[in-house]
Amino acid sequence: MLKKQNPERKHFTLLQWRGQSLSDVENTRLIEPNLDKVRSKSDVPPAVFMLPGWQLNDARRLVLSDVKLYPSVIKGILPIIAPTSHLELRRWTADFLADTFATPALPSKDKESMQPFVLDTVQSILETPDEDAHVLRSIIQTAASIYPITLRWIIENSYDTITWERITAVKTRILQIWDKGNPSVQICCIKFAQKVVLSQSVSGSEPRRGDGLDVSLDKVPPNHTLLDPRMLEAEAFGLLDRMLGVLQDNSSDALVVDATLNCLSVLVRTRPATSNRIVNTVLNFNPLKLANSPMTSKDRVMAKSMEKTTRMFLIHLAKRDPHNPLTPRIHQQIERLMRMKTEIFDETARKRALDLQKEMSEAKRLRALPPGAPAVLPQQQEIPELGPPPHTLGAIFTLTTSAPLSSFDVTSVPPPLLARLNVSTLVNVDRQALDRAIQAVKDRLTSLAVAPPVLNPNTAPLGVEEDEDDYEPDFYAAEDTEQILNKLDSSSEDLKPPSLEDALQLEVFTLPLAPPLTTEGAVSIGKMSISQLAEQLKASEDPTIKRPKVGFNRFASSFGDRDSLVTMLVRLAAQSTAGLADISPKKEDEDVGPSASVSSDIRGILHTYIVDDFRKRIDVAVAWLCEEWLNDKLQASRSPDSPVHYEKLALKLLDGILPYLHPQDKILTRFLAEIPQLSPAILSRIKHMCRDPTVVGLALTSLLYLIMMKPPVREAALDTVQGIWEEYEDARPTAGKYLAKYRPAWLEKAKRDAATPVSAPTAAANSGVAA
């Protein structure tokens, strides 16, 4: 606790606690800050905020509330970052400088006015030997933010040679630190190099309005006294090659590689002159180079990080410029990285197979032997005797007396795992030990085959004579006459015990034959499978389910996602029963046979699924109709009498969709534009829409799109517009505009006919004809 004392003594005590001496107080002339005075007056004494940390935080809150106070506060805190100051104060000041020149809230003019006296401090800190890494990082970030501001100042004020020499010295020093600093400092140096390349290269597009920091080589006049555009551009491309050198050398430092890729993405987007060089280097970069050697946990994390950053860089590049000539190579590289990652990390993530030979070795037991006891190798272990009969099949093949192994129930192990264990064990087993075990089992089987069967006196045949010396009286009930006669009647062959071979043979087990599959049963099973697919299709639309990311080389239905299920269902509906039923031309609209019934069930499920939410599922409708149209064409090429399904299904879908359309719907235009064929019946449905005046504009807009974008159906669409003009007076203003452009002669004739009154005889004749 500090005792109550005079202010000067209080300042001295606090500064001693912060690591400063009394001479620092006398030299800097510290005074107590008055925040109210700062808020009301921007001219703050230079050393206001050199006291404890909470006052510095007050200064930060003050400038965040009013950005106009930044210049005054910056002048006040610059002395704190002197080499003799406490390390915590220097770190705080360096971070504050970096935040000041990076914040977008501070206008560029204010930053430009502060950069001359801040550059002195930045240069002095960079030239200080053995500077703290935290301070260096913040100061390099400050220099990165100041560089475009200073370059713009020099472009407009060519007389200021001192500032240009100072920023050049700062740039040279940062490029020297780039080679010697730790990875965190190198990341900041890469960011500074990116700013230099941006400022000293040609911009490919117009800068955004109000972006004062978008400084490029285009703004340097050719006759500038200090700046030579050719030298600046050459220096920029030299720095770019230095940045790309990290990727060309296949560096294994994930921090530096990730920072380089993140900086290169900005250059590719804003400087087209550097795009090809950067993209070619990234395409040749192998982020999984660490996988060529045994990887530690750290190496695995670094390889994954570099692979993900490289892949995200390429993905965003392909999305931003899909028409780039390098886009096919970019997609190939993305697929290659994903495949390599799967092969490498899935293989390394698998658990090592259990080595039974090593588990069963006696290496650990040797340590438990008493001192001086002879060591017994595993292949020299004695195999126990079989013992008196009877014996089970498992006892014959048991070659160890270890309690855990002999009592282990092998049926509890899953068969696939057991097969893998058997393979690994047979590969690693000792040959001599295996031969000894096989010979031991053979000896056991031979001894059991040679040994006479043990007779039970209670069930022994009558012809057996027992030794009278070993006679013992029977204590069980004597056999009656009937039992004795039965034994005498039975042959001796029937009384022989089963042989060892018969006992060891496996009984033949035969599964009962399945009942024959009827037509009704097959149809019911098919309907059940279809209903399960429909349920999966609805469940696949759940946004909480994480869907796999697939590329261009995937199969049509191999991932179980929504697209795969839709592909499977539409192909089952269109192609599964094509050509299987003998259908006559008269029954082309009827489903014949159980196979056609299954197809009709699938089509009904698809129709219900689409109509339930047609705005979100219009892509399913288009895919289904395309598949049906293709199947109709293939079947028509094979048999002219094959049924046609496309037009019937398209009309059925339109009938389910049209009543629910509103005037702002664009689903109708998309549907008509993407289905493979537009027949007169389909276009007539569009014409009948105009009975509802609210959707006249939607119908005519859809027809106009077909007229402009689908030349094969232009005439049919124009005929439909003519029909709308003739039948619906409410649609004539809009339809007339389209006809005036595409069929002006017909429109003029139609208007004259409509304006000409019909004579009485003609009207009577027309009425008679109508009657």
Side-chain angles (χ1 to χ4, degrees), residues 200-507:
Q200 297 182 188
S201 57
V202 178
S203 175
S205 60
E206 291 295 329
R208 290 177 296 176
R209 187 184 305 175
D211 189 3
L213 293 180
D214 191 3
V215 180
S216 62
L217 202 63
D218 306 334
K219 299 182 179 181
V220 180
N223 56 350
H224 200 280
T225 58
L226 290 179
L227 304 178
D228 186 0
R230 293 176 298 175
M231 295 295 293
L232 294 178
E233 187 174 15
E235 182 185 18
F237 280 97
L239 286 178
L240 178 61
D241 292 337
R242 187 171 176 181
M243 294 171 66
L244 296 177
V246 177
L247 305 180
Q248 292 170 349
D249 298 338
N250 280 329
S251 175
S252 58
D253 193 339
L255 293 176
V256 177
V257 170
D258 291 348
T260 303
L261 289 172
N262 292 332
C263 291
L264 291 177
S265 63
V266 180
L267 294 176
V268 172
R269 186 176 70 250
T270 58
R271 298 295 183 263
T274 64
S275 176
N276 288 336
R277 185 180 304 188
I278 294 173
V279 174
N280 287 322
T281 304
V282 175
L283 290 176
N284 295 326
F285 172 61
N286 181 17
L288 298 174
K289 182 184 178 183
L290 288 173
N292 296 330
S293 58
M295 289 190 297
T296 61
S297 299
K298 178 181 178 182
D299 294 338
R300 189 176 294 107
V301 172
M302 293 173 66
K304 286 184 178 180
S305 175
M306 291 189 290
E307 187 274 336
K308 183 176 181 181
T309 306
T310 306
R311 182 159 40 86
M312 290 297 104
F313 176 88
L314 295 174
I315 289 174
H316 290 299
L317 183 62
K319 287 183 179 180
R320 189 173 187 86
D321 189 7
H323 303 292
N324 194 318
L326 296 175
T327 301
R329 285 188 59 194
I330 292 173
H331 287 302
Q332 291 178 1
Q333 180 70 359
I334 293 171
E335 294 290 338
R336 176 173 169 269
L337 290 176
M338 294 175 63
R339 184 171 61 254
M340 290 175 60
K341 178 185 176 184
T342 303
E343 293 175 356
I344 292 171
F345 293 107
D346 283 0
E347 181 67 25
T348 56
R350 294 182 187 138
K351 293 185 177 179
R352 179 174 54 88
L354 179 63
D355 192 350
L356 282 183
Q357 183 66 21
K358 189 175 295 184
E359 292 291 333
M360 296 172 62
S361 66
E362 298 294 334
K364 295 184 178 180
R365 297 182 184 178
L366 293 177
R367 293 196 293 268
L369 294 175
V376 181
L377 295 178
Q379 62 269 22
Q380 297 177 352
Q381 293 178 355
E382 293 296 333
I383 298 175
E385 295 293 336
L386 190 58
H391 303 291
T392 62
L393 185 61
I396 294 174
F397 286 91
T398 301
L399 305 179
T400 179
T401 57
S402 176
L405 290 177
S406 59
S407 61
F408 178 72
D409 184 11
V410 74
T411 59
S412 62
V413 182
L417 177 60
L418 192 62
R420 291 177 57 188
L421 293 177
N422 289 337
V423 172
S424 61
T425 302
L426 291 175
V427 169
N428 299 320
V429 73
D430 183 70
R431 181 67 182 178
Q432 296 180 359
L434 181 61
D435 293 340
R436 291 181 66 251
I438 294 173
Q439 187 61 39
V441 174
K442 287 182 178 180
D443 294 342
R444 289 182 175 184
L445 294 175
T446 304
S447 62
L448 289 175
V450 174
V454 179
L455 298 177
N456 189 349
N458 299 332
T459 59
L462 296 179
V464 177
E465 296 181 359
E466 297 183 359
D467 191 359
E468 294 182 355
D469 296 337
D470 298 334
Y471 171 75
E472 292 182 1
D474 295 334
F475 296 100
Y476 52 87
E479 295 179 347
D480 56 8
T481 305
E482 186 177 358
Q483 291 176 344
I484 294 174
L485 292 176
N486 290 335
K487 286 186 177 181
L488 290 175
D489 292 339
S490 60
S491 62
S492 59
E493 294 179 358
D494 296 337
L495 296 176
K496 289 182 179 180
S499 61
L500 180 63
E501 288 79 3
D502 297 336
L504 295 180
Q505 285 182 353
L506 296 177
E507 296 182 0

Side-chain angles (χ1 to χ4, degrees), residues 713-741:
V713 296
R714 175 178 295 175
E715 297 302 324
L718 284 171
D719 293 341
T720 307
V721 176
Q722 288 181 187
I724 294 173
W725 191 92
E726 291 175 346
E727 294 186 20
Y728 305 104
E729 294 185 1
D730 295 338
R732 287 187 177 182
T734 307
K737 291 192 299 183
Y738 302 157
L739 293 173
K741 181 177 180 181

Side-chain angles (χ1 to χ4, degrees), residues 132-154:
D132 179 62
H134 185 100
V135 177
L136 270 181
R137 289 197 299 267
S138 300
I139 290 300
I140 294 174
Q141 293 177 24
T142 305
S145 301
I146 289 177
Y147 190 85
I149 300 172
T150 305
L151 186 61
R152 186 181 59 187
W153 168 264
I154 297 299

Side-chain angles (χ1 to χ4, degrees), residues 148-169:
I149 300 172
T150 305
L151 186 61
R152 186 181 59 187
W153 168 264
I154 297 299
I155 291 173
E156 298 174 354
N157 304 276
S158 59
Y159 62 87
D160 194 355
T161 57
I162 298 176
T163 303
W164 177 243
E165 292 174 357
R166 192 172 296 152
I167 194 64
T168 304

